[in-house]
C-alpha cells in the first residue's frame, strides 16, 4: 500500500514473520497453484450418478401436468422426482436471516402448483451421466398455464399487480420494517433546504467463478448423509438439511473444502442441494450436481435491486438536520435463506452525524430469481443515494462538497456514537480518510478551476464517496430479536499433534478470503509457535466445532478472539508441562518456534514435539495435569465493528456522447489493526472490482413483456476483465477498534460500497454546467447522454412513509 | 426406471493425444468436451469449468503451444495434439517460477481461475517475445475472468515473471521426457 498512517502508539518493530501484521505467504496457495485444490466438482465418489434439473421457462405459471414416463424409459435414467414427492418427503427451505414480520413461504425444492420465476426447479432426474440426465429432461412433458407476471418492484406493490403467494399474502409486500429515532418530519419542515431523489439500484449477481455444486452420499445402515457442497456456511447447511429432510443433525456431515468464490451467494441451502440428497437416499448411490452457468444466472441468487426515495434536510450552513429513506427492495419469487439486505437500513446515514432519521424497508416479491446476500449487503445501495444527495446539497448551498462532508462527519471524539437506527459506530477518524482522498486526487487545484473542456474535448470532474461498513453483528441477542438462525460468535478447536505442530479446526470454509492464513498467523502470534507448523482444516462439520460461518465481514473479528483464547489456553498448559520436564518454573519459560526454552538460561529447552507427545500419551506429565493438548473456544465480540473510508474518482466525460473514463480512483480505507497487509489490500482490490462492475457494466435485465431474463449468460452479462478496470490507488489508515480482539475490523466488503457514488459524483461535477444529476445504476455512456440531452425519464412520485410512530432502534444494530 | 443398461447407449470414438508429455488413448462419446475429458477421464481436475461457453476462460489449457478454452473443443479434436495442463507446471516439490511469482504477489484468492491464468501466461511466455507492458498483459489475460483479485496482482506477477525469467520458454515448456 502506498501510505500507512497510524495515529495510535503502535510498536515500531517489524512484525514477526508469520505473526499478526506480517504479509505471511498464504497457506492456501500451494495446492491451488498446482491444480490440487479440491472444489466440489472435483469430488468424484465411486459409482456416482448425475442429476439434471428441469426448470420453469415462465416467470409465473401453474404446473398443470407433468409426464416423465418417456424420460424414465431412457437407458441410463435411474430416478425422477416431481413436486408431489418432494412435498411428501421434505419441509420447506428454511430462512436463516428472516425479515422481521414476514410470513414463511412454502418454498419447496421443486415447484408445487405454481412456479414464481423463470428457472425454478420443476423436475429432477438422475442418470448414469450428466449427458443422459440432460437428454432425459428433453423427454419430459410439462403443461404450464402461464399466469400474469410482475417484474418491476414498484409495479409489484400496486393494487392491481398479480399476487405471487395468495395463499399466504394478499399483496406482494412480504413485510415492511421501519427503524429510526427523533422527529425527522419536524426537522424537514423547519429545514432551510431539503434535497431528495429517487435512486434506482440495478439487479446484479455475485457470479463466483465456481458455480454451485453438490455431491450427496447416503449410507442408510449408518444413517450417514455426507454432503460435499460449495458453501460459505457448512454448519448452517447441515442444520438446514436436517430440518428439510427430517433428519437428525448427527445424521449429516457437510464438507466444503475449497470454495471457488462465495461473496454471499453461497449462504444456506438451495433447492438442488435438497434434491441431490433425496435422490441419493432413494438410490443409495452418490448423486452429483454441478450447476451450469445458464442455470446459475437463473437459479442462484441475484442481488441489490431496489428503489430508494431519500431525503436530506439541512440548515443554511449545510448542517444535516434529518435523513430519511423509504425504499422498496426486490426479493424475487421466494425468500431465499439470506433474502433481503438489511444493512440499507442500518447505515442509512453513512458516516454523517444525523440525530433524526429513519429507514423504512418494503420487501417486495416479483416474478424474478430470488434475491440473496451479496458482498456489501445493502450498503453500496444506500451509499449511492446519500452520497449523490450530499453533492446535490453542496451544489444547492454553493458549498465545497469536501467541506460539507467533513463538517457533517461523526467526529473521532464523539465515538462511540449511536445512529438513528440504533447502530453503534465504535471508533475511527472518518474526516482524515476524506482529507487524504481529497489531497491524493488533487481536489484543491480542481475545485476552483472552471469546468472547460480539455484539448481532447472532454470535461473532467472529481467525485467523492465516504462510507462506513458494518462488519460482524452486534450480538447474539440482537440476532435473536430479529429471528436470525445463527450467532454472532465464531468457534475454533486447536489440537496439538506429536509432530510438534498445531491443527486448527474451523467451520469457516476457504473461499478466497485467506482465513487459513490469517487463522494460522493469530495462532502463531499468540502461542509463539512457528507459522509453518500450524495447519488449518476448514469446512468439515465432522471435525470443526459448531460455528456461524464466513460472511458479513465477520470471520476475523469473531474468530480472532476464539483463536486467541484457545491458543492462550494451550500455551499455558504447554508451559506447565514443559516446566515439569525442565524442572523449572513455568513463568520462566517461553515458547519460541519449535521449542519451549528458559528465558534466562540458554540450553535449557525442550521441543514442542516432546511436550505435545507427553500430553497426548499422558506419559510424563506433572501430577494433577490431565492428558491431552486440545482447546475449543467460542468467542463473541462485544459489538459490531465499523470500517470506514473515502473514495475519490477523477473522470473525464465527452459532453457530446456521454462516454466517460475513470482516469484515477483513490481509495482510503481503515480496517483497524491489519492482520496481513497483503491480504487486506487484495480484499480491497477485489471488492472494488466487483463494485465497479455493479456501478458501470453489470445489470440483469428482464423483458417486462415476457418476464424472462434477457442477458443470463457470460456472453451478455459484463463483469470486469483485466482490461476494463481503472487504475486503483490505495491509501490506508489504521485505527484499532475497541470492540474486537487485536482491534481488527472486517475488510471483505468495503470496496463494493463507494465506486458507484464516486464515479457518478465525478460525472455530475464534470457536467455541472449541464445540470446533470445521475440517479440510477449502472452508469453507462447512454445514461449519461440521456441526462445531458434531457432524454432521461424523471418521476415526481415518491414512496410515502407508513403512518404511525417511529419504532425505536431497539437493542441496536 | 431403466435398469437394462447403466451406461446408456452412446456411440463412442477413439482419441489419441499427448497430455502433459504422456500419450493417452481413450474411447469417448463424441459430444464430450475437452475440459470434461481432462477432468473426468484423466483426473486432471486442476482445469476448471466455469461457463462451457468460451466466455469465462476457467478451462484454459495449452494445446500445441496456444492457450485455448478447452470447453470449446471436443475431446476428439485433441486427437494427435499435445496438451498441457496446470498439473505439468510444478517441478517435483517445487512450484515453477511462474507459480512462485503468483504466490509471492498474492495473485490468487479462491484459486478457481488461477490455473487458467497460469496456462495463459505459460503460452504467452512460449511465444518468444520480449517483456510485454502491463497494458499488453491486461489485454492478453482479458479472456480469463476473476471475481476475487481485481487482477492487479495477476498482472504484476506475470510482468515480474517475464522480467526475472528471460529463459522462461524453457521453464515453461519442458520436454515430454522431462515431464515423465
Amino acid at each position: 500500500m502506498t501510505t500507512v498512517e497510524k495515529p495510535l502508539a503502535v510498536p515500531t518493530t517489524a512484525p514477526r514473520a508469520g505473526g499478526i501484521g506480517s504479509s505471511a505467504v498464504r497457506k492456501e496457495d500451494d495446492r491451488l497453484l498446482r491444480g490440487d485444490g479440491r472444489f466440489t466438482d472435483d469430488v468424484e465418489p465411486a459409482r456416482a450418478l448425475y442429476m439434471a434439473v428441469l426448470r420453469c421457462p415462465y416467470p409465473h405459471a401453474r404446473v398443470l401436468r407433468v409426464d416423465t414416463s418417456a424420460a424414465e424409459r431412457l437407458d441410463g435414467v435411474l430416478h425422477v422426482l416431481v413436486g408431489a414427492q418432494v412435498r411428501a418427503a421434505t419441509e420447506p427451505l428454511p430462512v436463516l436471516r428472516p425479515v422481521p414480520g414476514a410470513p414463511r413461504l412454502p418454498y419447496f425444492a421443486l415447484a408445487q402448483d405454481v412456479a414464481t420465476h423463470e428457472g425454478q426447479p420443476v423436475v429432477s432426474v438422475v442418470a448414469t451421466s450428466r449427458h443422459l440426465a440432460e437428454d432425459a429432461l428433453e423427454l419430459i412433458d410439462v403443461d404450464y398455464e402461464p399466469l400474469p407476471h410482475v417484474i418491476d418492484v414498484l409495479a409489484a406493490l400496486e393494487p392491481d399487480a398479480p399476487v405471487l403467494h395468495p395463499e399466504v399474502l394478499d399483496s406482494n409486500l412480504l413485510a415492511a420494517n421501519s427503524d429510526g429515532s427523533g422527529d425527522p418530519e419536524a426537522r424537514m419542515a423547519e429545514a432551510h433546504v431539503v434535497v431528495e431523489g429517487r435512486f434506482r439500484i440495478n439487479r446484479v449477481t455475485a457470479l463466483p467463478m465456481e458455480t454451485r455444486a453438490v455431491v450427496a452420499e447416503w449410507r442408510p445402515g449408518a444413517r450417514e448423509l455426507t454432503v460435499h457442497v460449495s458453501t460459505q456456511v457448512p454448519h448452517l447447511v447441515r442444520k438446514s438439511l436436517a430440518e428439510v429432510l427430517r433428519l437428525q443433525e448427527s445424521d449429516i456431515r457437510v464438507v466444503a473444502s475449497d470454495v471457488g468464490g462465495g461473496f454471499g451467494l453461497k449462504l444456506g441451502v438451495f433447492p438442488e442441494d435438497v434434491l441431490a440428497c433425496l435422490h441419493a437416499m432413494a438410490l443409495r448411490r452418490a448423486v452429483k450436481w454441478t450447476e451450469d452457468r445458464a442455470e446459475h444466472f437463473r437459479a442462484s441468487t441475484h442481488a441489490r435491486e431496489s428503489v430508494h426515495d431519500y431525503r436530506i434536510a439541512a440548515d443554511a450552513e449545510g448542517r444535516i438536520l434529518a435523513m430519511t429513506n423509504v425504499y422498496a427492495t426486490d426479493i424475487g419469487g421466494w425468500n431465499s435463506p439470506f433474502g433481503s439486505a438489511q444493512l440499507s437500513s442500518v447505515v442509512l446515514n453513512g458516516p454523517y452525524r444525523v440525530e433524526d432519521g429513519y429507514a423504512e424497508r418494503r420487501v417486495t416479491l416479483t416474478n424474478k430469481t430470488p434475491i440473496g446476500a451479496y458482498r456489501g449487503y445493502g450498503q453500496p445501495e444506500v451509499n449511492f443515494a446519500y452520497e449523490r444527495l450530499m453533492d446535490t446539497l453542496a451544489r444547492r448551498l454553493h458549498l465545497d462538497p469536501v467541506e460539507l462532508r467533513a463538517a457533517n462527519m461523526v467526529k473521532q471524539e464523539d465515538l462511540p456514537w449511536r445512529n438513528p437506527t440504533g447502530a453503534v459506530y465504535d471508533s475511527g477518524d472518518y474526516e482524515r480518510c476524506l482529507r487524504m482522498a481529497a489531497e491524493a486526487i488533487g481536489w484543491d487545484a480542481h475545485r476552483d478551476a472552471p469546468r472547460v473542456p480539455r484539448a481532447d474535448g472532454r470535461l473532467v470532474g472529481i467525485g467523492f464517496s465516504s462510507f462506513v461498513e458494518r462488519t460482524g453483528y452486534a450480538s447474539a441477542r440482537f440476532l435473536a430479536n430479529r429471528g436470525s438462525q445463527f450467532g454472532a460468535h465464531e468457534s475454533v478447536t486447536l489440537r496439538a499433534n506429536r509432530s510438534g505442530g498445531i491443527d486448527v479446526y474451523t467451520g469457516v470454509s476457504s473461499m478466497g478470503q485467506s482465513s487459513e492464513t490469517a487463522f494460522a498467523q493469530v495462532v502463531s502470534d499468540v502461542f509463539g509457535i512457528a507459522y509453518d507448523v500450524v495447519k488449518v482444516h476448514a469446512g468439515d462439520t465432522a471435525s470443526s466445532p459448531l460455528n456461524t460461518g464466513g460472511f458479513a465481514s465477520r470471520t476475523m473479528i469473531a474468530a480472532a478472539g476464539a483463536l486467541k483464547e484457545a491458543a492462550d489456553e494451550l500455551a499455558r498448559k504447554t508451559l506447565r508441562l514443559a516446566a515439569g520436564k525442565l524442572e523449572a518454573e513455568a513463568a520462566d519459560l517461553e515458547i519460541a518456534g519449535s521449542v519451549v526454552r528458559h528465558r534466562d538460561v540458554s540450553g535449557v529447552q525442550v521441543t514442542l514435539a516432546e511436550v505435545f507427545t507427553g500430553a497426548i500419551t499422558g506419559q510424563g506429565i506433572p501430577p494433577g495435569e490431565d492428558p491431552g493438548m486440545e482447546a475449543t473456544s467460542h468467542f463473541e465480540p462485544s459489538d459490531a465493528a465499523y470500517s470506514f473510508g473515502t473514495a475519490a474518482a477523477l473522470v473525464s466525460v465527452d459532453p457530446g456522447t456521454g462516454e466517460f473514463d475513470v482516469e484515477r480512483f483513490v481509495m482510503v480505507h481503515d480496517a483497524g489493526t491489519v492482520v496481513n497487509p497483503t491480504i487486506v489490500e487484495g480484499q480491497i482490490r477485489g471488492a472494488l472490482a466487483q463494485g465497479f462492475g455493479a456501478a458501470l457494466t453489470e445489470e440483469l435485465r428482464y423483458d417486462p413483456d415476457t418476464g424472462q431474463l434477457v442477458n443470463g449468460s457470460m456472453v451478455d452479462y459484463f463483469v470486469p476483465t483485466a482490461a476494463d478496470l481503472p487504475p486503483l490507488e490505495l491509501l490506508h489508515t489504521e485505527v484499532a477498534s475497541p470492540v474486537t480482539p487485536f482491534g481488527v475490523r472486517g475488510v471483505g466488503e468495503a470496496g463494493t460500497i463507494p465506486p458507484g457514488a464516486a464515479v457518478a459524483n465525478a460525472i455530475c461535477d464534470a457536467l455541472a454546467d449541464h445540470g446533470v444529476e445521475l440517479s440510477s445504476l449502472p452508469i453507462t455512456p447512454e445514461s449519461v447522454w440521456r441526462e445531458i440531452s434531457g432524454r432521461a425519464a424523471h418521476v415526481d412520485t415518491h414512496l410515502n412513509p407508513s403512518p404511525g410512530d417511529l419504532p425505536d432502534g431497539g437493542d441496536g444494530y | 426406471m431403466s435398469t437394462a443398461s447403466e451406461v446408456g447407449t452412446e456411440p463412442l470414438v477413439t482419441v489419441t493425444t499427448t497430455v502433459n508429455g504422456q500419450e493417452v488413448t481413450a474411447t469417448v462419446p463424441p459430444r464430450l468436451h475437452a475440459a470434461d475429458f481432462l477432468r473426468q477421464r484423466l483426473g486432471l481436475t486442476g482445469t476448471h469449468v466455469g461457463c462451457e461457453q468460451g466466455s469465462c476462460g476457467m478451462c484454459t489449457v495449452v494445446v500445441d503451444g496456444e492457450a485455448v478454452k478447452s470447453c470449446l473443443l471436443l475431446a476428439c479434436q485433441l486427437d494427435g495434439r499435445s496438451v498441457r495442463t496446470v498439473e505439468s507446471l510444478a517441478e517435483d516439490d517445487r512450484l515453477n517460477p511462474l507459480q512462485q511469482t503468483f504466490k509471492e504477489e498474492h495473485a490468487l484468492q479462491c484459486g478457481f481461475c488461477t490455473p487458467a491464468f497460469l496456462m495463459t501466461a505459460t503460452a504467452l511466455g512460449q511465444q518468444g517475445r520480449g517483456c510485454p507492458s502491463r497494458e499488453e498483459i491486461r489485454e492478453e489475460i482479458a479472456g480469463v475472468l476473476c471475481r476475487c483479485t481485481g487482477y492487479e496482482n495477476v498482472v504484476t506477477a506475470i510482468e515480474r515473471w517475464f522480467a526475472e525469467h528471460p529463459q522462461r520458454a524453457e521453464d515453461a515448456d519442458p520436454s515430454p521426457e522431462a515431464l515423465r
Side-chain angles (χ1 to χ4, degrees), chain A residues 643-658:
Chain A
S643 294
F644 53 91
T646 294
L650 188 149
V651 180
S652 68
V653 191
D654 182 330
T657 65

Side-chain angles (χ1 to χ4, degrees), chain A residues 271-287:
Chain A
E272 296 84 0
D273 304 331
V274 174
L275 296 171
C277 291
L278 288 174
H279 286 298
M281 293 172 80
L283 293 164
R284 304 185 180 188
R285 296 263 297 265
V287 171

Side-chain angles (χ1 to χ4, degrees), chain A residues 39-42 130 208-213 260 266 290-294 296 714, chain B residues 32-40 44-61 69-73 111-113 115-116:
Chain A
F39 298 94
T40 299
D41 190 58
D42 302 338
R130 179 179 153 196
M209 299 320 298
E210 182 209 24
T211 56
R212 290 186 295 118
K266 295 172 180 174
T290 301
E291 185 181 51
D292 73 29
R293 192 58 73 175
H296 183 81
M714 286 277 200
Chain B
L32 184 70
H33 64 61
D36 278 355
F37 172 70
L38 294 169
R39 291 177 52 77
Q40 295 165 9
L44 297 171
T45 54
T47 300
H48 298 141
V49 174
C51 73
E52 297 176 290
Q53 241 186 333
S55 287
C56 75
M58 294 303 100
C59 60
T60 303
V61 298
K69 293 171 177 176
S70 59
C71 75
L72 293 184
L73 279 179
F112 197 76
C113 64

